[in-house]
Amino acid sequence: MAIPSPVLADELPPERRVRLDADTIIDAVLELARDEPQSRFTFKSLGEALGANPTAMYRHFRNRDAILQAALDRLFTMALEEATTAQAPKEWRPRLECYLNAVVDVFIKYPSIGCDSFATDTFGQGELHAIEFVLLCLKDAGLSGERIVHYYGALESFTLGHGSGLAQEVLAKPNSNGHEPWLEAIAVASVTGFPLIQEHRQRLLDLDGISVFQAGLGAILDSVERDGTR
């Protein structure tokens, strides 16, 4: 009786060379989002990155939207980890600033995921923990009842809206990293007849996406502080 030859790994079909699970797929999504900031992942690109048949992804995620939700949920977890380390601030305001800045940072680092953040609910544990964290910070600021939810909505919509916009900018200009001039057009525009723009022209030109985010975040948190001490 002839003894069958052993099957080499290289001779196996791609989908059998890799043991896929949901975390491995999301790892690959984030790697693609970081290393190819102008590209949005597809099942084909994931298959190539993982050395697997693209159809194997359907065993773990029903469609691309489900993968996007899971990847975005991972970003919320990553941002929250930045704000909950042993070295993280203990006071509510710097703790909250640390988290919200980290959210924008991960959206910029993984722009093809972050760009969809404003219109995507993850329904995942990462986002739920992040919401709980923000609510707890606002409670520690002295807020209660509807004021907590009021400021949560303001912070959430501002951070996700601005963060997704910066991610879109990075998709278009990969080297911008959130520092693209905010009002670049006035550098060449005639502002005669607009005295306040003339007076503040250089300051306006110095604004970029990150500094505008910081200004807006600071204004909201200043209001939280005033409201929390009443």
Side-chain angles (χ1 to χ4, degrees):
M1 178 183 296
I3 299 175
S5 300
V7 178
L8 300 177
D10 288 345
E11 297 172 345
L12 292 172
E15 63 268 28
R16 292 184 59 192
R17 290 185 215 148
V18 179
R19 295 184 67 85
L20 291 181
D21 58 31
D23 284 338
T24 300
I25 293 170
I26 299 307
D27 287 343
V29 170
L30 295 184
E31 187 173 339
L32 288 170
R34 181 194 63 210
D35 296 343
E36 301 177 16
Q38 287 183 291
S39 301
R40 298 199 179 206
F41 74 88
T42 62
F43 275 45
K44 182 175 183 294
S45 65
L46 281 176
E48 290 172 351
L50 289 165
N53 189 314
T55 61
M57 311 302 157
Y58 288 105
R59 297 172 194 157
H60 305 278
F61 297 98
R62 64 184 180 278
N63 53 33
R64 186 185 183 282
D65 286 344
I67 297 179
L68 174 63
Q69 288 170 337
L72 184 57
D73 202 62
R74 177 82 71 83
L75 295 191
F76 287 124
T77 297
M78 292 164 64
L80 192 57
E81 287 171 351
E82 287 289 316
T84 54
T85 64
Q87 295 76 34
K90 304 305 179 187
E91 295 297 319
W92 75 266
R93 178 163 181 161
R95 195 164 81 241
L96 193 48
E97 287 175 323
C98 181
Y99 166 67
L100 296 173
N101 278 302
V103 170
V104 171
D105 286 345
V106 294
F107 288 177
I108 290 172
K109 186 175 182 181
Y110 304 97
S112 61
I113 308 301
C115 69
D116 289 315
S117 60
F118 189 76
T120 303
D121 292 316
T122 73
F123 308 108
Q125 290 295 302
E127 187 171 24
L128 291 174
H129 280 294
I131 294 170
E132 184 75 7
F133 175 84
V134 173
L135 293 174
L136 179 59
C137 288
L138 294 173
K139 179 181 178 182
D140 289 347
L143 300 178
S144 61
E146 66 180 26
R147 301 312 290 165
I148 287 182
V149 176
H150 171 84
Y151 281 108
Y152 165 76
L155 288 166
E156 181 86 349
S157 60
F158 175 69
T159 302
L160 295 185
H162 201 92
S164 63
L166 289 174
Q168 288 279 6
E169 185 175 270
V170 174
L171 283 176
K173 301 177 180 179
N175 296 321
S176 63
N177 292 322
H179 294 291
E180 195 70 16
W182 188 254
L183 292 172
E184 190 173 18
I186 67 170
V188 295
S190 172
V191 294
T192 302
F194 300 92
L196 289 176
I197 296 178
Q198 284 183 298
E199 179 183 350
H200 298 288
R201 185 172 188 167
Q202 189 54 53
R203 296 185 185 92
L204 291 169
L205 287 171
D206 289 341
L207 290 174
D208 62 21
I210 295 296
S211 64
V212 170
F213 173 71
Q214 293 296 334
L217 178 59
I220 296 173
L221 295 181
D222 285 348
S223 184
V224 171
E225 281 195 312
R226 290 191 297 270
D227 222 351
T229 56
R230 289 179 183 174

